[in-house]
Amino acid sequence: MSTHDHVETGTAGAVVVGVTGPGRETAALRLAAGVAHREGREVVLVHAFRTALPAPPQAALVSYAATADVAEWVVKEVEDELSGLAAGRVRFRSITVAGAPARVLADLSRDARVVVVQHRTDHGAGRLFTGSTVTGTATHAHCPVVSVPADWEPPASDAAGEVVVGVHEGGLPRPVLEAAFDWAESTGVPLRVLHAWRLDPAYDDIITARVADEWNHDKRVVLGTAVRALGNAHPGVTVDVEVRHQYPPEVLVDASRAASLVVIGRRGPHLWPGAHLGSLARTVLRAAHGPVMVVPVGRHDESPRDWDLLADEVSPQA
């Protein structure tokens, strides 16, 4: 299946994957197939193509029809790759859309279960679904976006790491915590709920030397109480609550080495052409060693007004 119009429907409940060609998003395909298999969902492969490509010297621009034909070839090849990876366990189809990749994926995310993209682990050229596409999709999507490193491979079931979720004090934003519980439950792994904090450098050493232990204890109690309610709804999930006096991006990137998934939030969806994702989310997406889920959340009214922060800040002090 392919379409060349503005796309808003056709992906209801699906696992949407951005692809550029065979062998280029293998890691993303593996993760998407795993989600679709666990949840009984369809995978929708999406290839965004430019309406005109430069041709050799003294020739006209490649026509829309020609680029559309190439796009159809691309998704057919990726379908063959996914078929081999999924071994008949999941349903899938493909869509080709003329437009900028990030905008196309964000558009398709309106009804999707999750959007899966792949981020590069090197500086090679020639990939469309890297860098700005990952950031743009994570910024503007209406559903969770999972970014997968190019060298990621699913671990054996007995070696799967825990899910790590970064939250504010009190376990906020709640949709982020809920998404982490759901993933941990569906994959059968433990959940680590992490709150990291650090004061401005001018005050941190002086103040925290006196009160850090007390603050950590108090924050852990509050966080534990907030997490307990969701834990009761997911009795099969083993939960560990941790409060760290450390810069949040450092904690989450380090945790990604052994985690099966790191979950963070961001305020959204943002309107185009804005592209603000927040420094923490950008850092984690760029530097993580494993998959990262970015969950869009609205303004969480249950938090104090003076904590009116972007949801991608794990701590008010970040």
Side-chain angles (χ1 to χ4, degrees):
M1 172 182 178
S2 61
T3 178
H4 308 301
D5 299 319
H6 179 74
V7 177
E8 292 186 355
T9 59
T11 58
V15 179
V16 173
V17 190
V19 299
T20 61
R24 293 188 174 187
E25 284 83 28
T26 303
L29 292 176
R30 287 194 181 109
L31 186 138
V35 175
H37 178 61
R38 288 196 307 270
E39 301 184 6
R41 298 181 183 274
E42 179 184 43
V43 173
V44 177
L45 305 172
V46 179
H47 177 69
F49 66 95
R50 306 296 180 178
T51 55
L53 299 176
Q58 299 181 342
L61 289 176
V62 177
S63 69
Y64 178 98
T67 56
D69 287 344
V70 172
E72 293 291 344
W73 174 85
V74 166
V75 294
K76 177 61 172 65
E77 292 293 307
V78 179
E79 282 183 349
D80 291 343
E81 181 183 7
L82 178 58
S83 179
L85 292 172
R89 297 180 302 166
V90 299
R91 296 174 293 114
F92 61 86
R93 58 188 171 92
S94 60
I95 298 175
T96 61
V97 186
R103 187 181 287 269
V104 167
L105 291 173
D107 206 12
L108 288 165
S109 74
R110 294 179 185 276
D111 300 313
R113 160 69 175 92
V114 65
V115 173
V116 182
V117 290
Q118 184 169 300
H119 69 259
R120 62 186 176 218
T121 52
D122 57 52
H123 299 288
R127 294 188 180 128
L128 292 178
F129 281 91
T130 55
S132 61
T133 298
V134 172
T135 302
T137 303
T139 302
H140 298 287
H142 298 261
C143 71
V145 173
V146 178
S147 180
V148 188
D151 58 359
W152 177 84
E153 293 186 7
S157 58
D158 59 350
E162 64 189 356
V163 171
V164 175
V165 56
V167 294
H168 291 275
E169 296 183 51
L172 302 176
R174 188 177 177 89
V176 177
L177 192 57
E178 290 174 340
F181 263 104
D182 289 343
W183 193 281
E185 184 173 56
S186 68
T187 57
V189 300
L191 173 65
R192 177 151 59 110
V193 181
L194 176 63
H195 172 71
W197 64 276
R198 196 172 181 90
L199 300 177
D200 184 278
Y203 302 94
D204 193 73
D205 290 342
I206 298 174
I207 296 177
T208 60
R210 304 174 183 174
V211 299
D213 290 343
E214 180 181 349
W215 280 12
N216 283 346
H217 175 268
D218 292 346
K219 292 172 188 289
R220 190 176 296 110
V221 170
V222 173
L223 185 56
T225 300
V227 168
R228 198 168 298 120
L230 273 178
N232 291 337
H234 299 80
V237 178
T238 301
V239 183
D240 179 38
V241 174
E242 183 177 3
V243 175
R244 297 275 292 275
H245 173 221
Q246 190 175 348
Y247 288 115
E250 294 177 356
V251 173
L252 292 171
V253 170
D254 185 58
S256 74
R257 295 179 183 276
S260 58
L261 183 74
V262 172
V263 184
I264 55 178
R266 60 94 175 152
R267 176 75 51 75
H270 297 291
L271 298 177
W272 298 92
H276 180 75
L277 185 59
S279 60
L280 182 140
R282 291 197 307 271
T283 299
V284 175
L285 283 172
R286 181 181 66 250
H289 301 274
V292 177
M293 174 185 281
V294 181
V295 180
V297 297
R299 186 183 300 272
H300 38 91
D301 295 331
E302 64 269 51
S303 62
R305 285 186 180 274
D306 59 347
W307 289 1
D308 186 18
L309 304 168
L310 290 179
D312 54 19
E313 296 171 353
V314 172
S315 164
Q317 293 81 20

